[in-house]
Amino acid sequence: MKEQLYKLLNSKKLIINDYIIRVALDNNLKLDEFLVLVYFDNSLDKAFEVDLISSSLGLDEQRTMEAFNSLMIKGLVTLESIKDVESRYNEVVNLKGIYDIVSDNILVDAKKDVSKDIFRTFQEELGRPISPMEIELINGW
């Protein structure tokens, strides 16, 4: 039994980006929703196979479907049909919704960092703290 647990723990390492954690917190995701989201973010194959997802996450199929439907309602994921090379349609998960939010957060953070650096640079060059009027002038630029 213990050997099986060790194999399970060593089988796949999930990487969780801190921006995805922030989106999960901002959207009040439940644990099942978060697990499904992280599963697809780490999966190379975006095929929507409930039984495979459920067994990988240790959830029953009902909980997996509920979590996925909730993610779709929140606009974080979508389910699309694509045609493969043999003209068969397959359902795949698209993470554009979550990636749009994450990229927006990254851009906002980058802008904040640049703003802080600009004000600090002005203060260092002038050799004094800048006034509120100067801050507004710099923001206008």
Side-chain angles (χ1 to χ4, degrees), residues 23 27 31 41 45 52 54 60 62 76 93 96 101 103 116 128 131-132 135:
V23 171
N27 287 279
L31 179 60
D41 185 47
D45 181 20
L52 178 64
S54 297
D60 61 48
Q62 178 70 26
L76 300 175
V93 176
K96 186 178 182 321
I101 294 170
S103 61
K116 289 178 186 175
R128 62 175 173 78
S131 69
I135 291 173

Side-chain angles (χ1 to χ4, degrees), residues 92-132:
V92 294
V93 176
N94 185 330
L95 299 174
K96 186 178 182 321
I98 184 78
Y99 291 158
D100 283 343
I101 294 170
V102 168
S103 61
D104 290 345
N105 287 343
I106 291 171
L107 292 173
V108 166
D109 287 350
K111 187 175 181 181
K112 285 179 185 175
D113 289 342
V114 168
S115 295
K116 289 178 186 175
D117 290 340
I118 289 173
F119 296 130
R120 187 175 303 123
T121 302
F122 270 96
Q123 289 180 5
E124 288 171 1
E125 291 298 320
L126 295 173
R128 62 175 173 78
I130 54 178
S131 69

Side-chain angles (χ1 to χ4, degrees), residues 65-115:
M65 284 300 300
E66 288 173 0
F68 186 78
N69 287 336
S70 180
L71 291 171
M72 284 181 55
I73 290 169
K74 293 176 181 179
L76 300 175
V77 298
T78 57
L79 192 59
E80 299 177 349
S81 293
I82 61 166
K83 193 183 285 191
D84 64 10
V85 293
E86 298 173 358
S87 297
R88 293 179 297 182
Y89 283 97
N90 297 311
E91 290 183 320
V92 294
V93 176
N94 185 330
L95 299 174
K96 186 178 182 321
I98 184 78
Y99 291 158
D100 283 343
I101 294 170
V102 168
S103 61
D104 290 345
N105 287 343
I106 291 171
L107 292 173
V108 166
D109 287 350
K111 187 175 181 181
K112 285 179 185 175
D113 289 342
V114 168
S115 295

Side-chain angles (χ1 to χ4, degrees), residues 12-25 29 31 33-43 57 98-99 102:
K12 185 176 181 184
K13 302 294 184 202
L14 296 178
I15 300 169
I16 305 172
N17 187 304
D18 59 335
Y19 286 102
I20 290 180
I21 293 172
R22 186 187 320 173
V23 171
L25 292 172
L29 294 187
L31 179 60
E33 296 167 340
F34 182 70
L35 290 173
V36 170
L37 185 63
V38 169
Y39 173 85
F40 282 113
D41 185 47
N42 281 271
S43 178
L57 296 176
I98 184 78
Y99 291 158
V102 168

Side-chain angles (χ1 to χ4, degrees), residues 40-58:
F40 282 113
D41 185 47
N42 281 271
S43 178
L44 296 175
D45 181 20
K46 304 291 189 219
F48 186 69
E49 298 177 29
V50 178
D51 54 338
L52 178 64
I53 300 164
S54 297
S55 66
S56 295
L57 296 176

